[in-house]
């Protein structure tokens, strides 16, 4: 079976994907600099998988460190989760975002080319669609100018992959556009553990649920949506992880550029999320209506038909499971991995 290098494998989506890969029979090497994760994740993965997963501490911007991994292991493919992802922070630190994300991905691709490893899967995002003209979004919906440096790094890396694939047609480039990943592994041992006050809805709900934050601020209830709050396509991280395995099986050693939306195809509002989370907790989650957040897209959800047709993959877990698993993770780890 193939050996897959997973930069960013200690992070939220990466750690869940490592489980899916190992369960599907792949050999995995995790590569991470812990800039947004903790070594505890590796112990938790060992508990879940019953074995140690090879790990290298390093930075994807450091060519020598990546070359050392390729010297040590025969790597067949790379799934790159390593990146900075806070939209607001990226506005304040654009150069750091281009350096970490774009320069990091470029360095990885350079080493891959040097070692004749031609299978690259990239964590892209529905953010590349900007404010959609219409929903649901298909893979051929227009890519729009990003409204943050973070979003622009996703577009830049997508283009870089496409351009390299023209120059080096042996590459299989898989660009996976995630919608809104939430939930956690059913064990409650791994999950999302953002630093500081969360920017995203689900981790914020989790911290309100365990009393770390007093209430949720719902950013705007006067949008042109059924209940006035914004609509997103929330997808369980375990389903998302399985999407990577499906993409790997389908695209490994199939040269070309393969682009897939990974979403459920269902849009839920912020108030739908509050309701589902209250159900998971067994009591009402406190919230207040607050002003709109600048730059928010009104509605964003996927047409997931292409992934179903070509990869044979579709999301299985519903909103109640997403809320229950997120809550279970936070309840068991009120302070995240710091316990
Ligand atoms: P995360 O921060 O939990 O995981 C990223 C991991 O990469 C962390 O473990 C971090 O330490 C590591 N990392 C960052 N820069 C690195 C570097 N230079 N060298 C080595 N390791 C580095 O984030 P996540 O939510 O798991 O997201 C993974 C990827 O998916 C990111 O690229 C993100 O932009 C993308 N994505 C995430 C979402 C989301 O909502 N979570 C949505 C769309 C796309
Ligand atoms: N949201 C909110 N309060 C929060 C965080 C988010 O009302 O504290 C809303 C946000 O305005 C958006 C939705 O929840 O409509 C999803 O936001 P998130 O940042 O999780 O995802 P993104 O907007 O990047 O898709």
């Amino acid at each position: 079976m193939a050996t897959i290098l997973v930069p960013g494998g200690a992070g939220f989506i990466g750690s869940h994907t490592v489980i899916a890969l190992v369960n599907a029979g792949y050999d995995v090497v995790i590569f991470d600099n812990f800039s947004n994760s903790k070594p505890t994740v590796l112990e938790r993965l060992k508990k879940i998988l019953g074995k140690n997963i090879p790990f290298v501490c390093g930075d994807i911007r450091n060519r020598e460190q990546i070359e050392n991994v390729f010297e040590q292991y025969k790597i067949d493919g790379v799934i790159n989760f390593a990146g900075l992802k806070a939209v607001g922070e990226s506005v304040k630190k654009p150069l750091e975002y281009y350096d970490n994300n774009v320069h990091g991905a470029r360095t990885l691709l350079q080493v891959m080319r040097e070692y004749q490893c031609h299978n690259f899967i990239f964590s892209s995002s529905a953010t590349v669609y900007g404010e959609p003209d219409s929903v649901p979004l298909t893979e051929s919906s227009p890519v729009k100018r990003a409204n943050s440096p973070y979003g622009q790094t996703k577009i830049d890396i997508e283009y870089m992959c496409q351009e390299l694939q023209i120059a080096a047609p042996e590459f299989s480039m898989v660009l996976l556009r995630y919608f809104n990943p939430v939930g956690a592994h059913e064990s409650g041992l791994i999950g999302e553990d953002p630093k500081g006050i969360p920017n995203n809805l689900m981790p914020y709900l989790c911290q309100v649920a365990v009393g770390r934050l007093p209430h949720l601020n719902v950013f705007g209830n006067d949008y042109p949506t059924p209940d006035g709050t914004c609509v997103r396509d929330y997808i369980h991280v375990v389903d998302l992880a399985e999407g990577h395995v499906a993409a790997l099986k389908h695209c490994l050693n199939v040269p070309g550029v393969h682009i897939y939306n990974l979403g459920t195809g269902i849009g839920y509002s912020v108030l739908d999320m509050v309701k589902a989370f209250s159900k998971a907790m067994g009591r009402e989650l406190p919230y207040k209506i607050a002003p709109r957040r600048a730059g928010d897209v009104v509605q964003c959800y996927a047409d997931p038909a292409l992934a179903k047709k070509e990869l044979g993959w579709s999301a299985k877990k519903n909103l109640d499971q997403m809320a229950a698993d997120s809550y279970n993770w936070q309840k068991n780890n009120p302070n995240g991995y710091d316990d």
Side-chain angles (χ1 to χ4, degrees), residues 180 199-201 216-219 230 232 234 270 293 296:
N180 289 59
N199 299 302
N200 298 111
L201 179 61
L216 172 76
N217 292 303
V218 175
F219 296 144
C230 292
R232 296 287 183 278
Y234 298 93
V270 179
R293 180 172 73 176
D296 258 338

Side-chain angles (χ1 to χ4, degrees), residues 8 11-13 32-33 35-37 59-60 85 100 150 154 181:
F12 171 47
I13 305 170
D32 205 298
N33 66 359
S35 58
N36 198 38
S37 53
D59 192 303
I60 53 165
K85 61 162 186 177
N100 195 84
Y150 165 71
K154 294 293 173 201

